[in-house]
Amino acid sequence: MKITKYFMCALALFSLGSCTTASNGGTSVEDIPASTYQNPIIMADCPDPSIVRDGDTLYIFGTSGRVYKTDNLNNGYWEQLPDVRRTVEWGNTFNDIWAPDVVKIGDTWNYYYSVSIWDDPNPGIGVMTSKSLEGPWEDKGKIFDSLEIGVDNSIDPCVIEDNGKVWMAWGSFRGIFMVELTEDGTQLKSPTTASEDKILIAGVVGPWDGATYEGAYIRKIGDYYYFFGSQGTCCAGINSTYHVKVARSKSITGPYVDSQDIDMCGQNRGELVVQSDQNVAGPGHISLLEDDAGDWFMCYHGYDKFAPNGRYVFLDKLIWDNNGFPELAGNVPSYMRNVKGPRIDYEN
């Protein structure tokens, strides 16, 4: 396999002291050193990154089947693995797989994907499964397409287990919806009624509206479910206006509201998480990683304004504002400077 260096000048800056041992025989969380790295972490085109942890190994899955992994963020190397299969037996003849979300349900990894091309009149969402994040992946086929579910531009799946149920959020600038899946997450729970059962949780139904949202991502942190969505233009190079908003709810199905209790079913709503600055354009389409200390890190793509050769991958820690909403420091990406990353106990 080809190993390529994607960090620039990444440093292995561990604490000089050795880890101590907690009284229960395990390593104390405080003694696990934070990883140290620089953004962008992957300097290659890998849009819509889904970050996944399996033991000590981090994987990033992106549009068009791209896959990278690292066993240690400090060393600055991501190994590029063979693409996940890009050809499936349904959808438009010239389809590609976009915006994966990779989730473990039971003892199986589910790779949810969009099947689409630009201006596709009937894109949809399918799933592949594997016992290993490195495959082989077995395509289980289509879960639904836009016409069947009654949602235009049905792409960008996000799947989450909650209280014994499996839910999918999806959609792109024509309303973000949720629907329940089967226990194994490979089919609609109620195929005959899903188009009526789906729940609008953000945006508006109608023509394309960049003031609404796509790339939905939901995770429960503490007492709240947090909904992240991307607004603006994703793919215009250094002129991209993509940015990320967040809202929260006590229920997975919403309503998701901002700090003023305004729900996300409208335009230009939510609290700002990250936006463009002088270094990075169009940051968005996120996934989250929780470390061993319980801190959360946001993985997302963006254009490096000094090397705009595709959508590179970034990783930054979430911090919390005075109203209890997550954001990046200064609402902008960190860039080409050493930052402290996730605490992962590589010894255990």
Side-chain angles (χ1 to χ4, degrees):
M1 295 181 183
K2 180 182 178 182
I3 298 180
T4 308
K5 184 174 183 180
Y6 289 106
F7 281 13
M8 294 181 66
C9 305
L11 301 176
L13 298 179
F14 280 110
S15 170
L16 296 177
S18 61
C19 291
T20 60
T21 302
S23 58
N24 63 4
T27 301
S28 170
V29 169
E30 291 77 11
D31 292 328
I32 301 171
S35 51
T36 304
Y37 63 91
Q38 291 184 351
N39 273 316
I41 60 170
I42 297 178
M43 298 183 70
D45 188 40
C46 186
D48 314 321
S50 175
I51 191 166
V52 185
R53 179 180 173 183
D54 188 18
D56 294 342
T57 305
L58 300 181
Y59 293 81
I60 289 176
F61 296 83
T63 280
S64 297
R66 293 175 184 126
V67 190
Y68 297 86
K69 77 170 184 178
T70 185
D71 294 318
N72 191 336
L73 272 171
N74 291 278
N75 64 25
Y77 288 90
W78 286 79
E79 179 181 356
Q80 184 171 5
L81 303 182
D83 289 351
V84 175
R85 55 179 295 182
R86 294 178 59 180
T87 302
V88 295
E89 297 177 358
W90 62 277
N92 188 293
T93 303
F94 304 102
N95 64 50
D96 193 1
I97 58 173
W98 291 356
D101 187 37
V102 183
V103 180
K104 194 171 190 179
I105 298 180
D107 62 353
T108 301
W109 291 100
N110 287 6
Y111 178 104
Y112 297 94
Y113 61 89
S114 312
V115 165
S116 188
I117 58 174
W118 287 105
D119 299 320
D120 195 328
N122 189 30
I125 293 170
V127 64
M128 304 182 199
T129 63
S130 177
K131 296 300 182 182
S132 167
L133 283 169
E134 299 186 25
W137 295 94
E138 179 185 358
D139 188 22
K140 297 295 185 179
K142 178 176 64 174
I143 299 177
F144 57 79
D145 62 32
S146 297
L147 294 177
E148 292 167 345
I149 201 70
V151 177
D152 289 342
N153 209 19
S154 281
I155 61 173
D156 294 357
C158 170
V159 173
I160 180 173
E161 287 188 275
D162 180 64
N163 294 322
K165 296 183 178 181
V166 181
W167 295 89
M168 177 186 288
W170 83 99
S172 175
F173 297 128
R174 293 171 175 85
I176 302 294
F177 291 84
M178 292 196 77
V179 72
E180 189 175 351
L181 304 180
T182 53
E183 288 185 1
D184 66 359
T186 63
Q187 304 174 57
L188 292 167
K189 182 177 181 181
S190 304
T192 59
T193 61
S195 61
E196 290 78 33
D197 296 340
K198 64 183 184 290
I199 303 166
L200 179 69
I201 60 170
V204 294
V205 178
W208 185 94
D209 186 347
T212 59
Y213 317 96
E214 68 171 6
Y217 195 83
I218 297 171
R219 284 294 179 268
K220 189 174 186 182
I221 305 175
D223 294 331
Y224 288 95
Y225 299 88
Y226 288 87
F227 166 90
F228 297 80
S230 298
Q231 283 183 279
T233 55
C234 69
C235 312
I238 62 173
N239 297 313
S240 297
T241 61
Y242 230 32
H243 57 283
V244 178
K245 296 286 189 65
V246 66
R248 68 187 183 189
S249 175
K250 287 291 185 73
S251 167
I252 192 170
T253 56
Y256 287 89
V257 300
D258 64 14
S259 62
Q260 305 300 313
D261 288 329
I262 299 173
D263 73 54
M264 293 292 282
C265 293
Q267 299 173 314
N268 296 316
R269 300 183 181 186
E271 304 296 316
L272 181 64
V273 179
V274 65
Q275 62 185 350
S276 302
D277 68 356
Q278 70 273 18
N279 299 312
V280 181
H285 203 117
I286 76 112
S287 55
L288 296 183
L289 170 72
E290 185 181 15
D291 74 358
D292 291 337
D295 291 324
W296 289 84
F297 290 79
M298 190 175 85
C299 184
Y300 57 101
H301 71 232
Y303 289 95
D304 184 331
K305 290 187 176 181
F306 302 97
N309 299 313
R311 285 171 281 176
Y312 294 170
V313 181
F314 294 75
L315 182 70
D316 276 305
K317 184 178 179 179
L318 290 175
I319 59 176
W320 301 86
D321 69 14
N322 293 333
N323 294 312
F325 287 86
E327 62 185 6
L328 299 195
N331 299 119
V332 297
S334 65
Y335 180 78
M336 291 299 177
R337 59 182 174 83
N338 294 327
V339 293
K340 290 186 177 181
R343 295 179 183 270
I344 296 175
D345 185 1
Y346 292 106
E347 301 300 323
N348 293 283

